[in-house]
Amino acid sequence: TKHLGIDLGLKTLATCSDGSKIEAPRWYRNQQRRIAEHQRKKRSRQARHLPAKIANRRKDFLHKESDRLTKECELIVVGDMRSSKLTKTNMAKSVNDAGWATFKHLLEYKAMARKVVYREVSERLSTQTCSHCGAVGGPKGREGLGIREWVCAECAAVHDRDVNAALNILRLGHQSLILK
């Protein structure tokens, strides 16, 4: 019966507000070379079946993780990350490999079935805002993406970037419950 904020990412599929991380298996990235090899050698059957197999593995993994999370929690809050916008960038393969949209959809309908409260909140400034004091001073912009740990200038709290974002997402989820 816990409350959980979830920050979606590419290296880890999801970072939870309790500090746990769900590693992204990277099914497509690991098989990319084999798919290309089958396509070059004109093995159309294998070239068709391998992506389907990868999609099934991804879907199975996402089903198991969403099932586990909805059994453990009574409130799940996820950032409103739009994967459709990122699929138009050079991160498209990684974004599609992570399966964020599918993961959020599975979490949402399983939460409904188990009477778990599910919310999506804006994750704007969630990585830059200190989860202890609320000051905005974390790493900014594209240059800041490489900074995984930072120290708040106001309260000197040390933050893991993703866990801090998940904590802020959870806080926003609590606020959205109070407002309703």
Side-chain angles (χ1 to χ4, degrees):
T1 63
K2 63 181 180 179
H3 295 190
L4 199 63
I6 298 175
D7 178 46
L8 300 173
L10 295 176
K11 290 194 176 172
T12 57
L13 171 68
T15 303
C16 302
S17 55
D18 63 2
S20 62
K21 296 183 182 205
I22 300 170
E23 293 300 320
R26 302 180 64 166
W27 302 110
Y28 178 78
R29 288 289 190 183
N30 294 338
Q31 296 294 320
Q32 197 173 358
R33 192 170 276 138
R34 280 186 62 199
I35 293 170
E37 190 179 302
H38 290 314
Q39 288 170 339
R40 275 194 307 275
K41 292 182 179 178
K42 308 270 192 261
R43 296 179 186 159
S44 60
R45 190 170 152 261
Q46 287 98 328
R48 272 195 320 270
H49 289 294
L50 203 51
K53 193 174 184 178
I54 291 166
N56 287 339
R57 283 182 175 169
R58 181 183 305 113
K59 199 168 182 182
D60 179 60
F61 173 77
L62 294 176
H63 264 293
K64 287 176 181 172
E65 288 301 321
S66 59
D67 195 54
R68 181 182 63 81
L69 289 174
T70 53
K71 281 180 181 174
E72 293 175 358
C73 302
E74 62 183 28
L75 170 68
I76 296 175
V77 186
V78 183
D80 65 347
M81 178 70 77
R82 295 279 176 252
S83 56
S84 58
K85 290 181 182 175
L86 288 173
T87 55
K88 295 174 180 77
T89 67
N90 61 350
M91 295 185 285
K93 285 182 185 176
S94 297
V95 170
N96 288 329
D97 202 13
W100 291 336
T102 305
F103 187 58
K104 289 197 307 187
H105 175 72
L106 294 173
L107 275 174
E108 186 175 14
Y109 94 77
K110 288 179 182 187
M112 258 190 261
R114 293 198 169 104
K115 295 182 177 39
V116 172
V117 179
Y118 174 86
R119 291 279 184 270
E120 273 191 41
V121 296
S122 170
E123 59 176 28
R124 189 174 168 270
L125 299 176
S126 64
T127 56
Q128 298 172 23
T129 306
C130 174
S131 57
H132 288 282
C133 68
V136 178
K140 292 175 178 59
R142 284 200 167 175
E143 310 82 44
L145 288 175
I147 301 167
R148 304 316 300 167
E149 262 192 21
W150 59 279
V151 179
C152 177
E154 301 290 321
C155 68
V158 179
H159 297 292
D160 173 286
R161 180 189 181 97
D162 298 329
V163 174
N164 179 62
L167 286 166
N168 284 327
I169 288 168
L170 178 60
R171 181 179 45 80
L172 290 169
H174 281 152
Q175 288 174 353
S176 76
L177 287 176
I178 293 168
L179 295 175
K180 285 197 172 187

